[in-house]
Amino acid sequence: MFCTAADWAGGIVEVALTLDPSPDGREVMKGELKMTTQHIPPEWAFEFHGHECPFMPIGYRMGKLALAYLGTEHEADHGFFIFPELGEGHPQTCMMDGLQAATGATYGKVLMAKTFYGKLAATFYHPQKGAVRYSLLPDFVDAMGKFEFFAYRKRGVEPSQIPLEVRREVIQWTYDQPDEVIFKVEARPDFTYTPVKGSFNKTKCGICGEYVFDRYLRMKDGQPVCIPCSGYEKSVLIER
């Protein structure tokens, strides 16, 4: 049975499970259903993400756990930061949409910056509360990878085109796993981050006439211009 957020509301479900081989060679969880996670993404998070897959819910759960670990709440403004270690050109970056939905630390508020390490992990930072790193345990990743969902993905089938029961099988399995089976948690007491100071100052580009925020202005032939009109290479510096 696939559980939605509404199905799980009001209780925490845990599973005391062990990995046992199934007849098809896939490891399956067996054991007694107890109390485990209530961190199930709401329907709007799946709609925002665009499809049902296991990694958006994993990111959502990771984000909720990090908020609880640091003793803070969903970020309304600009005071909580996430540094996912995912990169590009590899699967499972869907985690980042779950992180945003869970925490309010969104790209639009400039509260999330990828490190491009190509790892299934993220560091969460609050200036007054400190920092913590969550990563996916290899045994969990290996066990999840044996589900039929990933056979489809390796053949190039997009998640929305995978049969619904196949998608929901692996999603439900992730919901059933205890936190300690999924995540490695590491305090990062020495982690610091200095965000770029915000400014409303802007200037019209001397060539195209469009506004440019001043920190991105370049000079060309004695006049301020935007990066595309300047011909300069764009560079992005992430300060940590």
Side-chain angles (χ1 to χ4, degrees):
M1 180 183 70
F2 180 78
C3 295
T4 65
D7 296 327
W8 289 60
I12 301 177
V13 179
E14 264 181 14
V15 185
L17 300 169
T18 57
L19 283 172
D20 287 337
S22 68
D24 62 4
R26 189 186 76 218
E27 288 181 318
V28 295
M29 289 291 185
K30 305 196 77 146
E32 179 185 0
L33 186 66
K34 303 181 183 176
M35 300 275 352
T36 188
T37 185
Q38 63 183 2
H39 300 312
I40 308 299
E43 289 303 315
W44 67 260
F46 285 101
E47 292 172 5
F48 165 74
H49 184 54
H51 61 239
E52 290 183 3
C53 73
F55 275 90
M56 188 282 285
I58 289 171
Y60 184 89
R61 183 169 175 181
M62 180 188 286
K64 288 295 188 184
L65 291 171
L67 289 177
Y69 182 98
L70 294 173
T72 189
E73 298 179 350
H74 192 274
E75 181 57 41
D77 296 308
H78 302 90
F80 182 76
F81 303 88
I82 305 178
F83 301 93
E85 297 181 19
L86 299 112
E88 58 187 15
H90 65 79
Q92 298 149 15
T93 54
C94 297
M95 279 176 55
M96 290 183 290
D97 278 353
L99 293 174
Q100 293 180 88
T103 65
T106 64
Y107 276 109
K109 291 190 287 186
V110 199
L111 299 178
M112 180 177 282
K114 292 194 294 183
T115 65
F116 292 94
Y117 295 162
K119 302 180 76 173
L120 299 172
T123 291
F124 302 81
Y125 175 69
H126 189 287
Q128 284 76 51
K129 306 283 189 175
V132 62
R133 180 180 185 267
Y134 277 74
S135 59
L136 299 191
L137 291 166
D139 285 349
F140 168 77
V141 176
D142 290 344
M144 180 171 56
K146 295 177 182 179
F147 277 82
E148 188 178 4
F149 176 89
F150 292 98
Y152 278 94
R153 292 295 291 123
K154 288 176 182 178
R155 295 199 300 268
V157 181
E158 291 288 355
S160 64
Q161 303 305 307
I162 295 173
L164 183 62
E165 64 273 14
V166 174
R167 285 180 269 156
R168 292 192 167 181
E169 176 192 32
V170 67
I171 292 171
Q172 186 63 53
W173 180 83
T174 67
Y175 291 166
D176 292 341
Q177 309 314 305
D179 297 337
E180 61 271 18
V181 167
I182 302 176
F183 302 110
K184 178 181 179 181
V185 185
E186 303 167 275
R188 300 198 61 184
D190 299 326
F191 184 92
T192 60
Y193 171 69
T194 303
V196 175
K197 185 177 181 181
S199 171
F200 285 90
N201 297 333
K202 59 186 181 297
T203 301
K204 287 183 179 179
C205 171
I207 296 178
C208 69
E210 296 176 352
Y211 271 122
V212 188
F213 287 99
D214 284 358
R215 70 185 305 265
Y216 293 99
L217 284 171
R218 301 291 185 267
M219 296 300 294
K220 183 176 183 179
D221 299 329
Q223 61 180 340
V225 297
C226 66
I227 291 173
C229 289
S230 73
Y232 296 163
E233 290 284 333
K234 180 182 177 183
S235 62
V236 177
L237 174 64
I238 298 174
E239 301 174 26
R240 286 192 182 81

